[in-house]
Amino acid sequence: MHWSKLFIPTLRETPAEAEVVSHQLLLRAGYIRQLSAGLYNYLFLAQRSLLKITKIVREEMDAIGAQEMLLPMLNPAELWQESGRWEIMGDDMFRLKDRFKRDFCLGMTHEEGMTAIARGEVRSYKQLPQMWYQIQTKFRDEPRPKSGLLRLRQFIMKDSYSFDIDAAGLDVSYEKHYQAYCRIFDRCGLKYTTADAHSGAMGGTQSHEFMVASDAGEDTVVRCSCGYAANLEKATSLAAAPRQPDPEGEPTPEEFHTPGRKTIAEVAAFTGLPETSQMKSLVLVADGKPVLAMLRGDHQLSETKFASGLSVKEIRPAHPEEIREWFGAEPGSLGPVGVKKLRVIADQALQGRKNMIAGANRDDHHLRNVTPGRDFQPEYFDLRQVVAGDTCVKCGGKLELIKAMEVGHIFKLGYRYSQSMGLRVLNEAGEEVTVIMGSYGIGVERILSAAIELFHDKDGMALPVTIAPFQVVVTPVNNSDASLRKAAEDIYGACLSAGLDALLDDRDERPGVKFKDADLIGIPYRITVGKKLPQGLVEVVERRNKQTMDVKLEEAAAYVKQRV
Ligand SMILES: [Zn+2]
């Protein structure tokens, strides 16, 4: 392709609206233009790159025996009502009506659609397992679309679904996807971590996220040098030791006056005791029932762990008037001693502690010498969010927290959809059994954004050669010089013959402008045809490390071919 004929609208300045690097560079390099919040036009370069990514995804999905399909993005409401997600998805789902005033939605994923196909046609264990996938446009009515292609309202996903006769079969389908995902992200040149993940609103039992470490990411991954990695929502740890040992002896709880001291920090300053010597009291309403959750003063509640530990769906903080009614005191003076009407639970970090500070259930008063198991009888759960420096449960090492973005996610759905939608087959014994499912997603634009976040410098993108829009650009420093132009065209032809995805920069621009543009759009190799041509030499520049190499004119294409 000849650059002079292409539409590559690069920008000199960084657009003010773009905060994260991938967004800035995608705009500056002329890959994308915004249409509306969370909606982007993918111009020539972005589309080329996305097509390369989807080709890799397709090859690896085909390689594990998954079959490609294409389901409508426009779905009738009845389909989603069957699974219950018509209600659950709330405002996140785009909804519309047809001319007959019937309800429709734009698909966010396709569990319902795929399950409905299987339900109609798959009758016997002999037809299982099945793995079906599609590469298709999805919609999500994000309240705050942002960060360019990281949080969109319309995006491209590879989504696949597995159907198995039993849990052992699902294990196999899941593992195949896990391995395929590793190959996909490896081939796309990403550095990633696989994190144990809670499956959240999707339901199910086991799940892994494929995460790329990046400050632009909105997830937090807890990881350890031993290989342990988990989403912050799911991660477990051993809490760091309290900053001060608990007082010895068995004194009984004793009330003391704490005028105006409501927060953990205020009580710590008032008593001179560290936050780790205090208990935090949180009053929640879980599926309509009040619960008092106790945590160490410096710890934060993980609502995900709370919900999964107690097997509850809906959680909200209690209202002040409810708290007044149940405790006879205001928040800031609440504690577990003497609480009879509420279920009392405690984080495991409080197990074995003694003589701590807690609220007295009387305004402006606290208790000292409160011992869990003696002064109140909690049920223990893992309730807290891991913090950096906690101890790894696997190896005893120190845990770190990193910001990350999700590029892929695999779930064991279990019977969530097959049960609610009635997907049953006959097993070997001729009995009707419910099919077990998995669902597996990859964000196609996420891969491109993640690659840019990982590989860029002050001059622009330095994309992996497998997903860059072109592998090599041939640049005559002066296009009006006939000999330079002729040599560049020869090399460009040789690149094409060698099977390279090549671009010829035949623009009548100064060399500096051409180099800048090539660096900005992130083409991995540049062959510069310039002043060494009389000696039969051209320069090959590797974008990522800016290393240059003089290569014989006739060998330039082969040299680059060998490197990619
Ligand atoms: Zn570890």
Side-chain angles (χ1 to χ4, degrees), residues 64 90 120 221 233 353 379 515 522:
I64 60 167
V221 172
E233 290 188 349
R353 298 291 306 277
E379 302 164 64
F515 297 162

Side-chain angles (χ1 to χ4, degrees), residues 65 101 110 137 147 165 178 342 363 467 503 521-523:
K101 304 285 179 273
H110 279 76
T137 302
S147 306
I165 190 72
Y178 188 102
L342 280 74
D363 287 346
I467 66 168
L503 174 64
I521 71 176
I523 299 178

Side-chain angles (χ1 to χ4, degrees), residues 51-82:
L51 286 172
K52 291 189 175 187
I53 293 167
T54 50
K55 182 167 183 284
I56 291 170
V57 171
R58 191 169 269 126
E59 285 170 3
E60 294 299 338
M61 293 309 297
D62 291 349
I64 60 167
Q67 305 152 69
E68 185 168 358
M69 301 185 170
L70 187 61
L71 276 56
M73 36 188 121
L74 187 61
N75 284 196
E78 295 77 41
L79 192 62
W80 287 67
Q81 282 158 351
E82 278 194 67

Side-chain angles (χ1 to χ4, degrees), residues 224 226 392 395:
C224 176
C226 76
C392 172
C395 77

Side-chain angles (χ1 to χ4, degrees), residues 518-529:
D519 281 353
L520 178 60
I521 71 176
I523 299 178
Y525 292 93
R526 187 180 78 222
I527 301 173
T528 309
V529 184

Side-chain angles (χ1 to χ4, degrees), residues 14-15 17-29 32 147-150 214-217 405 448-462 520:
T14 299
E17 73 270 24
E19 284 173 21
V20 303
V21 170
S22 56
H23 188 195
Q24 293 169 353
L25 289 177
L26 284 163
L27 288 169
R28 275 190 59 206
I32 62 171
S147 306
L149 304 188
L150 285 176
S214 163
D215 284 338
M405 65 173 78
L448 176 58
S449 294
I452 298 166
E453 294 288 342
L454 283 173
F455 307 112
H456 66 268
D457 56 25
K458 63 177 174 34
D459 298 322
M461 307 178 190
L520 178 60

Side-chain angles (χ1 to χ4, degrees), residues 360-506:
N361 296 328
R362 182 179 166 205
D363 287 346
D364 289 333
H365 286 78
H366 280 75
L367 295 176
R368 60 171 67 93
N369 306 327
V370 179
T371 299
R374 185 192 68 187
D375 302 318
F376 66 103
Q377 306 296 333
E379 302 164 64
Y380 288 103
F381 293 95
D382 179 6
L383 294 175
R384 71 178 185 284
Q385 273 187 6
V386 170
V387 290
D390 276 1
T391 302
C392 172
V393 288
K394 285 209 168 154
C395 77
K398 287 268 171 279
L399 294 172
E400 60 165 349
L401 268 59
I402 53 161
K403 297 258 283 169
M405 65 173 78
E406 181 190 309
V407 289
H409 202 157
I410 57 178
F411 301 96
K412 284 186 180 171
L413 285 175
Y415 300 100
R416 164 77 178 80
Y417 294 88
S418 48
Q419 203 145 45
S420 59
M421 297 183 65
L423 170 53
R424 284 183 286 276
V425 297
L426 296 178
N427 69 9
E428 220 164 337
E431 301 153 347
E432 207 171 62
V433 294
T434 303
V435 170
I436 190 164
M437 291 172 59
S439 100
Y440 316 87
I442 285 181
V444 173
E445 295 97 334
R446 283 278 178 102
I447 293 180
L448 176 58
S449 294
I452 298 166
E453 294 288 342
L454 283 173
F455 307 112
H456 66 268
D457 56 25
K458 63 177 174 34
D459 298 322
M461 307 178 190
L463 288 174
V465 71
T466 48
I467 66 168
F470 291 95
Q471 293 171 315
V472 57
V473 57
V474 183
T475 308
V477 294
N478 179 359
N479 203 56
S480 52
D481 179 318
S483 64
L484 291 184
R485 192 170 64 228
K486 168 74 170 56
E489 274 167 6
D490 288 347
I491 292 170
Y492 171 68
C495 286
L496 294 184
S497 304
L500 285 168
D501 198 2
L503 174 64
L504 177 65
D505 191 351
D506 59 340

